[in-house]
Amino acid sequence: MHVLSDANGLTLLVGVSAANVHDSLALKPTVEGHQTRHDPHRGRNFKPQRLHADKAYDVPHLRRWLWGKHIGVRIARKGIDSSERLGRRRWVIERTMSWLTGYRRLNHRYERKPGNYLAFLGLAAAPCCYKRFLKLTM
């Protein structure tokens, strides 16, 4: 399961890959799948400013690719950075993934077809976003 969320934990994009595929291979499709929107106040498209990820995404060509898209990279480097320093921001995505796996159907992958699992993942993301949106607006 691959999840892209904003700084408040609202789920922006969900994706599924096979269990034997490395996580770093799903980064490009996930970031490219995120639709940018036009901001009328600034007169330009809104795009992510920073990407926080764990050590599985520490691949040099992915860092260059994100740098080319003008997205700041906050990825722990293997063998150099400890996970405690990046944990100040990463807990948001961990909490979002915990909300999604709180639904029984998603906790264990009962579905054989990835399309069905992705559909249930999207259905689970809707009430999570709604609950989080209510907390942020009230």
Side-chain angles (χ1 to χ4, degrees), residues 43-64:
R44 59 185 171 146
N45 287 339
F46 172 79
K47 65 180 180 71
Q49 294 176 351
R50 263 180 243 96
L51 178 80
H52 295 267
D54 58 3
K55 292 181 184 183
Y57 298 95
D58 184 29
V59 181
H61 72 86
L62 288 177
R63 286 181 179 269
R64 285 191 303 270

Side-chain angles (χ1 to χ4, degrees), residues 16-62:
V16 176
S17 66
N20 60 352
V21 175
H22 196 267
D23 287 341
S24 65
L25 297 176
L27 181 68
K28 281 185 182 181
T30 305
V31 172
E32 286 176 346
H34 176 61
Q35 297 291 323
T36 59
R37 65 179 192 273
H38 182 70
D39 187 4
H41 300 293
R42 295 183 189 169
R44 59 185 171 146
N45 287 339
F46 172 79
K47 65 180 180 71
Q49 294 176 351
R50 263 180 243 96
L51 178 80
H52 295 267
D54 58 3
K55 292 181 184 183
Y57 298 95
D58 184 29
V59 181
H61 72 86
L62 288 177

Side-chain angles (χ1 to χ4, degrees), residues 91-110:
W91 68 271
V92 175
I93 191 66
E94 296 296 336
R95 180 188 62 187
T96 303
M97 292 186 77
S98 163
W99 287 341
L100 292 175
T101 56
Y103 293 94
R104 181 179 173 266
R105 189 91 182 191
L106 297 175
N107 193 9
H108 300 288
R109 189 166 171 178
Y110 294 112

Side-chain angles (χ1 to χ4, degrees), residues 5 26 74 88 96:
S5 77
R74 297 284 300 162
R88 291 178 287 183
T96 303

Side-chain angles (χ1 to χ4, degrees), residues 113-128:
K113 295 184 179 180
N116 292 347
Y117 185 74
L118 185 62
F120 282 117
L121 193 59
L123 286 173
C128 289

